Amino acid sequence: MQFQSLMNSNVLHSRRTRCFQRIVQNYLLVLVLLVVGTSSAHAQLLNYADSGRPEAPGLELLQEEPHDLIYFTGKSGGGWVKTRLLDLPRREIPAAPSGSLKFSIVGVEQQEFVAKWTDIENIDFWEKRLERETAERIKAGDFVGAYPFLSVLIRDYPARPGLRKLRTEFLWRDAGRRAKSGEFGASLAMLEELRRYAPEYETKTVLTAIGALTDKLMEQLVNDGKLELGQQLLARLEKEYSGLSLSSITKWNARFLSMAEDKRDQALAALEAKNFRDARKFSRESIFLKPEIEGGTELVRKIDQIYPLVNVGVLQTATVLDPTRLDNWAARRAGRLLYRVLFEMQGAGPEGGEYEFIFGDTEQSPDRQRFSMFLEPERLPEPLNQVDGFYLADVLADRVKAQSPTYFSPWAAAIQAIGLDGPKRIDCILRRPNVLPSALIQVTVDGSWFGGEPGSPTGDYRRDVVEGDVVRYVLKGEPRTELQPREIVEIRTESAADGVSKLLQGEVDVLDQLFPADAVRLSRNRKVRVVNYPLPSVHMLVPCSEHEYLADKTFRRALVYGTNREDILNGELLESLEVPGCRVLSGPFPAGLEDNDPLGYAYDQSIAPRNYEPRLAKLLMTMTMKQMESEASRKKEKPPELKPIRLAYPPENLSRIACEAIRSQWQLLGLEIELVELPVGRAFPDPGTADIAYVSAAVWEPIIDARRVLGPEGMAGSTDQLVGLGLRRLEESKNWRDARDRLLDLHAIAHHELPVLPLWQLVDSYAYSRELLGVGSDIVSLYQNAEKWRLSK
């Protein structure tokens, strides 16, 4: 091998002795071995040799720095050297080279070398090696191996003359391989990329292949019941291949039309048989398959006029029907459909909730110590007009009696006397000024109020048929309007995403609760309206057993520090989307949707949520164990065992995802966690079945709900003295200023004592087809205006 080192700008000419050249060669060899040979167990390749050829590195070539290979003639001594990329015109060997070539050897940074062109046999340029590797692998069918070489060429050498051929060959042949193995989607993607990149490449053949692939893909989607995806694919093909006579477009347009006509015929047959449920179902499936089918839209409207019916997609069907439930979304939703409440919350105002007295009107004296109710039976529909003041006064009085099953301690503590001024007026004299007495008497009104059976419905609907995940609520009297729904059908979906799919396909008209990220995405759809409920839900973990460690507030504090709530909320539940109003909480009350929001009147913004600090969590757990061991030793008892913690959650995917994430984080603390999925319709576990429960609560009126959450008879069942004192002081508030100050005090107590473990608040939302009118945009419960719903003609 004949080349020389340039050192200190002094050329070592060929007249130097051959011995000295050998010294230089050995020096270089040692350097190469030190720099390269010891750097990796997978890359012990020399950068220089005086004989033979370099070993082919395969895919590991891409792990090396870009370099050229110079091969020397046998006459000059042979061998090769790996050099930095050579600075040659057009990166080619000159047509008639003369003189010498300067180069740098990879791994020998401070040396520059020179060789005569007459001693150089060939130069293997880096980009040509990449092209050769790519072509050889494509020819051998090794597309996985060819792809990284091709990617480097596209990135670094996009103007190479042979690149277009390589890339088109790769796309065409790999698409064929994938099609043979049944990867129709991937194969289609490659062919369409080929058509975009090189539309001149085998145009007729490529289009024929795309037609065959889309045919197989459509067949697969239809057989799997993924009609929505099939229609989306067909619509895209019609748009992108207009005028190109793609065979699959004609075939599947005809196929969808035939399927739609079959559904239309089934709908007509069901209509003739007065099977309105099936008629509605088949008619909607018909226009979903082919929106422009002749007479399809008119048939749907005709059926909706004859028998209006609304399908509602729900994450949970209700097994308990109670519109006043704090912790059970499904019970609260469906309960409003069947029952009226004495004072129904209509929304939020600057000073607490806004309530409607269903029997008439109310008035509160300026000193807030007299609360009067005026019954207006002449303005009320059946059967509400049957209730008089005498009966209602008895109901209110029963809630004061400790022995009564309807006893409510906050109401008993507030009332001094109940008086009647005829059958249409009731006066409640309060022991002290009360800021919101109507919130104390949210009493469910059932049929017994009107001489019927206890528990019988007083709303417009009754529960009819339960068929698996389908529950039908049927209008129980004459419709108020011609288009009032005769049925409201709740259909339990497998997940929030499944509900969105059913809404878009027309299988349901309404979704009662959306995953926050789905709400953001669905709001972009023109056929659907997405609306936020005005009041957020508060999510918390509620201890619900005699688990000795969970009874210790230091251990509960450890669990809070060991839960990365910010990460779960933003990463798992919101999917990294920004949803205003959703935030981590430091207490059991809502924080409002924005700064200075009156909805957050109970929330102390100065109390920051505890950060995620797993080391501190471990320390607090150790402290708890040591304290318990010390106490047991003092009493000469066996210290309590840290048993597995059973974490219960409602059977819907938002709660499930949150609890799975919480379990993973608690397991990192060394805890053993068992997840317990509650039965459908249940939101709180039975005694003895779980230790702590994930609860989504409607804490919409903290001044009253504080006791329902924290009190001894509430969800938390707290007997903590500080919590009890805070609740009593709150209920003694004489004005809104007192109430707010004492709620902030209670927030601070709850933050310190942790009767519940606060997680986050979510802004819940609902969605419905724009063909459904009368739903409303400022409702606190989905069925708040159900009697006004109507399907557009």
Side-chain angles (χ1 to χ4, degrees):
M1 179 189 300
Q2 296 294 325
F3 65 90
Q4 298 169 328
S5 172
L6 295 175
M7 305 176 68
N8 299 323
S9 301
N10 295 319
V11 179
L12 297 176
H13 296 288
S14 58
R15 65 175 180 267
R16 297 290 181 94
T17 64
R18 204 165 173 80
C19 178
F20 185 76
Q21 290 182 18
R22 285 296 176 188
I23 292 173
V24 172
Q25 291 169 2
N26 290 334
Y27 163 72
L28 291 173
L29 186 58
V30 170
L31 279 177
V32 169
L33 285 170
L34 287 174
V35 173
V36 179
T38 61
S39 64
S40 169
H42 300 286
Q44 295 194 13
L45 299 175
L46 301 182
N47 293 340
Y48 160 93
D50 57 7
S51 63
R53 304 182 75 83
E55 182 181 346
L59 282 172
E60 291 186 5
L61 175 65
L62 296 177
Q63 298 176 5
E64 299 182 31
E65 291 183 61
H67 59 271
D68 297 328
L69 288 173
I70 300 177
Y71 293 95
F72 295 95
T73 63
K75 186 176 180 180
S76 68
W80 56 271
V81 66
K82 187 183 295 185
T83 75
R84 301 285 182 189
L85 296 182
L86 299 169
D87 185 15
L88 293 174
R90 298 183 301 280
R91 292 276 295 156
E92 294 178 353
I93 298 175
S98 61
S100 300
L101 173 67
K102 293 180 183 179
F103 56 87
S104 297
I105 299 177
V106 174
V108 184
E109 306 301 335
Q110 275 109 31
Q111 296 285 337
E112 192 174 51
F113 301 90
V114 62
K116 294 180 180 180
W117 275 107
T118 54
D119 292 335
I120 295 174
E121 178 181 294
N122 186 31
I123 299 177
D124 196 355
F125 292 98
W126 171 252
E127 55 271 33
K128 290 186 177 180
R129 291 185 73 190
L130 295 178
E131 290 174 346
R132 189 168 63 251
E133 288 281 352
T134 304
E136 289 174 356
R137 290 170 187 274
I138 291 174
K139 185 177 180 180
D142 179 15
F143 300 101
V144 174
Y147 180 77
F149 289 98
L150 182 59
S151 298
V152 173
L153 282 168
I154 293 171
R155 183 192 68 194
D156 296 341
Y157 302 97
R160 289 289 299 173
L163 179 57
R164 192 172 187 83
K165 180 180 179 182
L166 277 176
R167 190 171 176 181
T168 53
E169 190 72 14
F170 174 87
L171 290 169
W172 173 249
R173 295 190 59 182
D174 194 24
R177 177 188 66 86
R178 290 176 182 272
K180 288 178 182 177
S181 62
E183 299 175 57
F184 302 133
S187 180
L188 176 61
M190 301 200 79
L191 286 180
E192 292 193 302
E193 172 62 22
L194 172 59
R195 184 173 172 272
R196 283 189 292 269
Y197 176 67
E200 77 285 353
Y201 181 85
E202 301 287 348
T203 303
K204 186 176 180 179
T205 305
V206 170
L207 282 174
T208 301
I210 289 175
L213 270 176
T214 50
D215 183 31
K216 291 180 180 179
L217 192 55
M218 289 291 293
E219 189 79 46
Q220 193 177 69
L221 291 172
V222 170
N223 290 342
D224 291 344
K226 298 177 181 178
L227 298 179
E228 181 186 4
L229 292 178
Q231 288 181 315
Q232 290 175 359
L233 174 59
L234 184 57
R236 183 176 68 79
L237 293 175
E238 288 184 306
K239 180 180 179 181
E240 295 184 10
Y241 296 89
S242 176
L244 294 177
S245 301
L246 204 64
S247 58
S248 56
I249 295 177
T250 304
K251 173 181 176 179
W252 284 98
N253 267 325
R255 178 83 173 269
F256 272 110
L257 178 60
S258 175
M259 293 164 64
E261 288 171 342
D262 288 344
K263 292 292 183 181
R264 183 190 60 191
D265 293 344
Q266 292 177 45
L268 289 169
L271 181 59
E272 186 176 350
K274 295 187 177 180
N275 184 349
F276 300 116
R277 293 172 180 171
D278 284 350
R280 182 186 191 278
K281 174 177 178 288
F282 292 138
S283 65
R284 277 173 160 72
E285 288 177 353
S286 174
I287 62 171
F288 171 71
L289 288 165
K290 201 70 177 174
E292 63 272 19
I293 185 173
E294 184 179 354
T297 303
E298 292 77 8
L299 180 60
V300 168
R301 290 174 178 170
K302 179 181 178 181
I303 295 169
D304 284 344
Q305 290 175 27
I306 295 173
Y307 193 78
L309 181 151
V310 176
N311 286 328
V312 180
V314 300
L315 291 175
Q316 278 208 74
T317 51
T319 55
V320 179
L321 301 169
D322 183 355
T324 66
R325 277 292 290 267
L326 187 75
D327 63 333
N328 191 320
W329 180 286
R332 194 166 59 249
R333 178 196 68 238
R336 175 59 181 84
L337 198 58
L338 269 70
Y339 297 106
R340 301 299 302 273
V341 176
L342 185 60
F343 281 87
E344 293 179 339
M345 191 177 197
Q346 301 297 307
E351 293 188 338
E354 296 178 342
Y355 296 88
E356 177 188 354
F357 178 46
I358 65 169
F359 294 115
D361 202 0
T362 63
E363 181 181 274
Q364 191 167 10
S365 63
D367 64 0
R368 293 184 179 270
Q369 286 195 257
R370 179 188 296 271
F371 182 65
S372 302
M373 287 169 261
F374 303 93
L375 281 72
E376 301 173 346
E378 64 280 358
R379 297 174 53 188
L380 300 176
E382 291 278 353
L384 298 182
N385 58 5
Q386 300 175 25
V387 170
D388 58 27
F390 300 105
Y391 183 84
L392 182 53
D394 287 340
V395 171
L396 297 176
D398 280 344
R399 290 174 66 79
V400 178
K401 301 173 184 176
Q403 67 275 19
S404 170
T406 61
Y407 173 75
F408 185 53
S409 59
W411 175 248
I415 285 294
Q416 181 175 332
I418 299 174
L420 282 164
D421 187 3
K424 295 185 179 181
R425 174 169 176 165
I426 302 171
D427 289 324
C428 299
I429 309 303
L430 307 178
R431 296 182 188 276
R432 63 185 69 85
N434 192 289
V435 295
L436 207 59
S438 55
L440 294 170
I441 39 181
Q442 294 183 61
V443 182
T444 300
V445 178
D446 66 10
S448 64
W449 288 47
F450 315 106
E453 291 292 324
S456 56
T458 52
D460 284 12
Y461 295 85
R462 62 178 175 83
R463 191 166 184 163
D464 183 41
V465 179
V466 179
E467 303 167 329
D469 288 335
V470 177
V471 181
R472 298 184 182 277
Y473 297 92
V474 180
L475 189 68
K476 64 182 179 66
E478 290 299 315
R480 299 191 187 199
T481 64
E482 180 185 353
L483 296 177
Q484 181 180 0
R486 307 305 193 264
E487 285 188 28
I488 293 179
V489 183
E490 291 192 347
I491 302 171
R492 183 171 180 261
T493 61
E494 293 181 5
S495 65
D498 179 49
V500 170
S501 178
K502 288 183 183 301
L503 179 64
L504 295 176
Q505 292 181 29
E507 294 183 37
V508 300
D509 307 289
V510 188
L511 289 179
D512 88 307
Q513 190 179 18
L514 295 173
F515 213 83
D518 288 334
V520 174
R521 289 189 285 263
L522 196 56
S523 63
R524 307 184 186 111
N525 192 299
R526 296 181 180 179
K527 297 181 180 179
V528 173
R529 189 174 182 202
V530 177
V531 185
N532 290 339
Y533 291 105
L535 302 170
S537 56
V538 176
H539 297 242
M540 61 187 79
L541 296 175
V542 182
C544 55
S545 77
E546 300 299 321
H547 195 289
E548 293 182 81
Y549 278 81
L550 285 173
D552 185 274
K553 67 180 180 183
T554 303
F555 186 79
R556 295 196 299 271
R557 192 175 297 119
L559 294 181
V560 176
Y561 279 119
T563 308
N564 193 340
R565 295 174 291 170
E566 199 77 46
D567 184 65
I568 296 173
L569 173 63
N570 293 323
E572 301 286 345
L573 304 183
L574 302 183
E575 298 180 17
S576 300
L577 295 174
E578 187 174 343
V579 182
C582 297
R583 56 175 290 183
V584 172
L585 298 177
S586 61
F589 307 129
L593 303 182
E594 54 189 20
D595 293 341
N596 301 317
D597 189 338
L599 289 175
Y601 68 83
Y603 192 87
D604 190 341
Q605 300 287 351
S606 68
I607 300 177
R610 290 181 172 91
N611 294 325
Y612 175 54
E613 298 185 34
R615 292 184 180 179
L616 178 55
K618 289 284 289 183
L619 176 61
L620 292 172
M621 287 172 53
T622 303
M623 287 175 56
T624 305
M625 293 177 186
K626 295 297 182 184
Q627 288 171 356
M628 289 188 172
E629 289 172 1
S630 176
E631 183 67 17
S633 176
R634 186 178 66 80
K635 295 181 179 180
K636 297 183 179 179
E637 296 175 350
K638 184 179 179 181
E641 177 187 358
L642 179 52
K643 297 178 181 178
I645 297 175
R646 296 167 296 174
L647 172 56
Y649 62 91
E652 40 86 12
N653 65 324
L654 187 145
S655 299
R656 184 182 302 112
I657 289 170
C659 287
E660 287 174 350
I662 291 169
R663 176 181 62 176
S664 298
Q665 293 178 3
W666 286 1
Q667 286 174 335
L668 294 176
L669 302 176
L671 296 173
E672 187 176 343
I673 308 299
E674 298 175 5
L675 292 184
V676 179
E677 183 171 286
L678 298 173
V680 173
R682 296 290 302 278
F684 207 76
D686 290 327
T689 61
D691 302 305
I692 193 166
Y694 182 96
V695 173
S696 168
V699 190
W700 295 339
E701 198 68 85
I703 196 170
I704 301 303
D705 295 337
R707 181 170 288 277
R708 298 172 69 191
V709 174
L710 304 174
E713 305 300 324
M715 286 192 305
S718 175
T719 56
D720 185 275
Q721 293 184 358
L722 285 175
V723 172
L725 176 62
L727 290 171
R728 290 192 296 275
R729 292 188 69 243
L730 171 63
E731 289 160 359
E732 293 170 357
S733 302
K734 296 181 179 181
N735 52 56
W736 269 104
R737 181 175 179 178
D738 284 350
R740 286 170 175 158
D741 289 345
R742 291 170 183 181
L743 277 166
L744 297 184
D745 291 342
L746 189 55
H747 179 174
I749 292 170
H751 178 71
H752 183 266
E753 300 296 311
L754 289 175
V756 299
L757 280 60
L759 295 174
W760 42 74
Q761 77 173 18
L762 289 181
V763 177
D764 300 294
S765 54
Y766 57 99
Y768 59 94
S769 166
R770 291 189 179 272
E771 294 180 356
L772 181 64
L773 307 178
V775 177
S777 58
D778 196 26
I779 55 176
V780 298
S781 176
L782 182 67
Y783 298 134
Q784 187 167 317
N785 298 322
E787 66 278 0
K788 300 177 183 177
W789 287 7
R790 66 188 187 280
L791 292 161
S792 61
K793 295 183 179 181

